[in-house]
Amino acid sequence: MVLINALFLVLYRALSADYTRLIGHSLKEIILLLNFCYFFALYFVPVRVHLSVVFLDNIVKRSFMLITFQMIMFTTCLIFMRIGHGSARFLIILYGTLLVAFSLWRVVMRVIVKIYRRKGYSVKNVIIVGAGKNGLELYKVLKNDMAYGFNVYGFFDDNEALRGELPNYLGRLKETEAFIETHPVDEIYCTIPGANSEKISGLLSFAEKHMIRFYILPDFYRDIKKSMVMEIMEYVPLLSIRNEPLQSASNRAVKRAFDILFSSLVMLLLYPMLYLVIGLLIKLSSPGPILFKQKRTGLYGKEFDCYKFRTMRVNKEADEKQATRDDPRTTPIGAFLRHTNLDEIPQFVNVLKGDMSVVGPRPHMLKHTEQYSKLIDKYMVRHLVKPGITGWAQITGYRGETKTLEQMEGRVKRDVWYIENWSFFLDLKIIYVTVINMFQGEKNAY
């Protein structure tokens, strides 16, 4: 609050030309409006720098979201209240200054919190009930960094053979309550199997009576290593085994709006010229159409016609055989188009039609979908979102021909990771890297 208000006042006084335009209302009213917008934005993008595990890049991303949201609201309010007409320069400078200063402030706050915890302050004393595979994995995470703020006393488990194996074995489950009575325990992490429901419920009841927070690590985590999402259907809790940001209507709206805007710019500014030049070169290189149309697998397995600039001579294997290095079917201009990704430009038509997105898993030929869906467990998961012109797999080394099953598994793994970790900023990053690669060229682009 101090930072935002101080920066506003400094800029308000420093930019005298804009000061006269904003004077339509009193300074107090404008500051009140700025602070109201901050609190409203904070409701949607709350502070998280105090949590146990927060990474600095996420702090910067959330700071960007918060300040952007605040400034959009603030500017909109000024427009509707007819305050500060012609003060765009002031608002742009204010936005940039707040963005940099606020991000730095949040990062500094997080660093201070980490230093504070490493010195032994603000530490939570915890015990782990259950020293199986899940318990040991949890222990490694809690002890990974002292900045997380955990002091792990040790394990309780009925397998007394662990006494000689674990340096911090504390005793059997029945000894847990006695230990808590004599030690300041703040949190209990229970990793014992669900079959021991009576022991779990008894320990939970004891923890609540002693105002100790109780966490349960699901037994099935041993087999399903996923980031899960809790949902409630009336009063019944449900665990979704996959976090999908694009399940949110607002996220889909943002992605679709960007797709339409970006594709429209490409189709209006670049496509006509590229079509004329590249089309002429394709016609001169070999007989056949300028565009190549092929059935691909899209959203939820639906087939669609995917467009590309034709890079090969017309052949009967086009719908069955992948392009390979030094493929004899590829024309000279086709090799250049593939190397620079320019052959994909007509797919912006697919984006405008709604069959594809600018960023997403690359659509595969129908034959490959049928083949790999039988060989790779999570292959069809990649079709839970629209396919893209470029994607996370393509910029991380999995572009082009997949010679082995392991290569396709690597691509699918990255496609699923993208689905589970989507963000607008991730899309921008993928587009940026793709454009850079277009100019540098890619070794797998053939």
Side-chain angles (χ1 to χ4, degrees):
M1 286 292 295
V2 172
L3 179 69
I4 289 175
N5 285 277
L7 286 173
F8 177 82
L9 287 171
V10 168
L11 292 174
Y12 192 87
R13 297 297 183 185
L15 302 173
S16 57
D18 292 293
Y19 170 78
T20 57
R21 296 190 183 104
L22 283 169
I23 201 65
H25 281 59
S26 71
L27 180 60
K28 290 182 180 179
E29 290 175 333
I30 296 173
I31 291 179
L32 181 63
L33 182 61
L34 179 72
N35 285 278
F36 168 77
C37 293
Y38 169 72
F39 278 115
F40 193 78
L42 198 63
Y43 176 80
F44 292 98
V45 192
V47 181
R48 289 187 176 176
V49 292
H50 63 287
L51 297 181
S52 298
V53 183
V54 184
F55 298 105
L56 294 183
D57 58 333
N58 284 332
I59 292 176
V60 173
K61 183 174 73 174
R62 291 180 63 81
S63 299
F64 177 87
M65 293 169 58
L66 177 65
I67 296 300
T68 301
F69 190 18
Q70 178 194 7
M71 287 304 298
I72 289 174
M73 284 191 58
F74 183 56
T75 304
T76 303
C77 291
L78 290 178
I79 291 172
F80 277 100
M81 296 174 68
R82 297 181 180 179
I83 303 174
H85 176 70
S87 58
R89 175 171 164 261
F90 171 81
L91 293 173
I92 291 172
I93 294 174
L94 176 64
Y95 172 66
T97 305
L98 286 179
L99 200 59
V100 174
F102 198 81
S103 297
L104 287 174
W105 171 243
R106 283 275 181 97
V107 170
V108 169
M109 282 179 62
R110 178 61 183 175
V111 171
I112 291 173
V113 168
K114 294 176 76 171
I115 293 173
Y116 188 70
R117 286 175 177 164
R118 284 197 177 106
K119 290 185 177 295
Y121 301 104
S122 186
V123 170
K124 297 174 183 176
N125 297 313
V126 306
I127 59 173
I128 301 175
V129 179
K133 183 179 179 181
N134 283 350
L136 293 173
E137 191 165 339
L138 175 63
Y139 175 75
K140 290 179 182 178
V141 172
L142 297 179
K143 295 291 289 184
N144 183 53
D145 190 340
M146 285 301 296
Y148 290 171
F150 293 106
N151 173 39
V152 184
Y153 283 129
F155 295 89
F156 285 92
D157 195 287
D158 284 340
N159 182 6
E160 292 197 78
L162 296 172
R163 191 182 298 275
E165 298 178 16
L166 295 176
N168 51 1
Y169 177 79
L170 301 175
R172 297 172 62 83
L173 297 184
K174 64 181 181 182
E175 301 174 56
T176 307
E177 296 181 6
F179 181 88
I180 294 174
E181 295 283 6
T182 57
H183 293 79
V185 175
D186 300 305
E187 295 178 353
I188 298 174
Y189 289 85
C190 181
T191 68
I192 59 177
N196 297 290
S197 57
E198 291 185 5
K199 294 179 180 179
I200 295 174
S201 59
L203 189 57
L204 170 60
S205 177
F206 179 84
E208 291 185 336
K209 288 178 181 178
H210 289 75
M211 296 161 291
I212 298 172
R213 287 186 171 84
F214 192 89
Y215 298 94
I216 298 176
L217 183 62
D219 184 39
F220 56 77
Y221 177 73
R222 289 178 301 179
D223 306 308
I224 305 177
K225 304 291 187 181
K226 304 291 297 180
S227 175
M228 301 186 187
V229 180
M230 174 72 80
E231 298 176 2
I232 300 294
M233 186 176 293
E234 290 193 3
Y235 54 85
V236 179
L238 302 172
L239 275 177
S240 173
I241 64 169
R242 182 167 288 106
N243 178 36
E244 296 179 56
L246 287 174
Q247 281 287 86
S248 165
S250 59
N251 286 341
R252 290 200 304 273
V254 168
K255 187 172 177 65
R256 182 59 183 156
F258 176 78
D259 284 344
I260 293 173
L261 176 62
F262 192 86
S263 300
S264 298
L265 291 174
V266 172
M267 295 302 294
L268 290 172
L269 302 178
L270 293 177
Y271 189 70
M273 179 182 64
L274 289 175
Y275 186 86
L276 290 174
V277 175
I278 294 175
L280 177 61
L281 294 173
I282 290 174
K283 282 291 188 181
L284 293 174
S285 67
S286 67
I290 294 173
L291 295 181
F292 172 67
K293 183 174 70 173
Q294 186 180 62
K295 292 287 185 182
R296 299 281 180 103
T297 308
L299 182 66
Y300 298 126
K302 181 181 177 182
E303 297 177 11
F304 72 98
D305 291 321
C306 182
Y307 301 104
K308 299 179 70 173
F309 281 125
R310 183 171 60 85
T311 60
M312 293 184 174
R313 297 174 180 85
V314 176
N315 65 92
K316 296 180 180 180
E317 298 177 308
D319 292 329
E320 298 181 358
K321 185 179 178 182
Q322 278 186 312
T324 59
R325 187 179 297 278
D326 301 322
D327 197 313
R329 299 173 297 167
T330 305
T331 62
I333 181 60
F336 170 76
L337 293 176
R338 285 178 173 272
H339 191 64
T340 57
N341 291 315
L342 288 174
D343 62 319
E344 314 285 1
I345 294 296
Q347 287 168 26
F348 284 103
V349 175
N350 290 116
V351 175
L352 288 175
K353 289 174 64 178
D355 294 326
M356 294 179 63
S357 178
V358 176
V359 181
R362 285 293 296 155
H364 289 166
M365 294 186 293
L366 302 185
K367 180 181 178 181
H368 284 168
T369 300
E370 181 182 359
Q371 175 186 353
Y372 288 115
S373 62
K374 298 175 182 177
L375 300 174
I376 302 173
D377 281 343
K378 295 179 177 59
Y379 182 85
M380 294 305 292
V381 172
R382 65 195 304 275
H383 300 112
L384 290 175
V385 297
K386 289 181 182 179
I389 297 175
T390 184
W392 181 246
Q394 280 61 48
I395 68 167
T396 53
Y398 285 84
R399 186 190 188 280
E401 182 187 14
T402 48
K403 297 181 180 179
T404 65
L405 183 62
E406 289 73 19
Q407 287 177 314
M408 182 58 79
E409 287 176 337
R411 177 184 290 185
V412 171
K413 182 178 180 180
R414 282 156 179 79
D415 288 338
V416 174
W417 183 92
Y418 169 80
I419 293 172
E420 296 176 346
N421 295 274
W422 177 89
S423 72
F424 181 65
F425 296 95
L426 179 60
D427 276 2
L428 293 181
K429 176 182 178 180
I430 292 171
I431 292 171
Y432 170 77
V433 175
T434 300
V435 173
I436 296 299
N437 288 342
M438 285 179 65
F439 291 100
Q440 293 180 344
E442 298 181 78
K443 64 179 182 178
N444 293 329
Y446 50 81

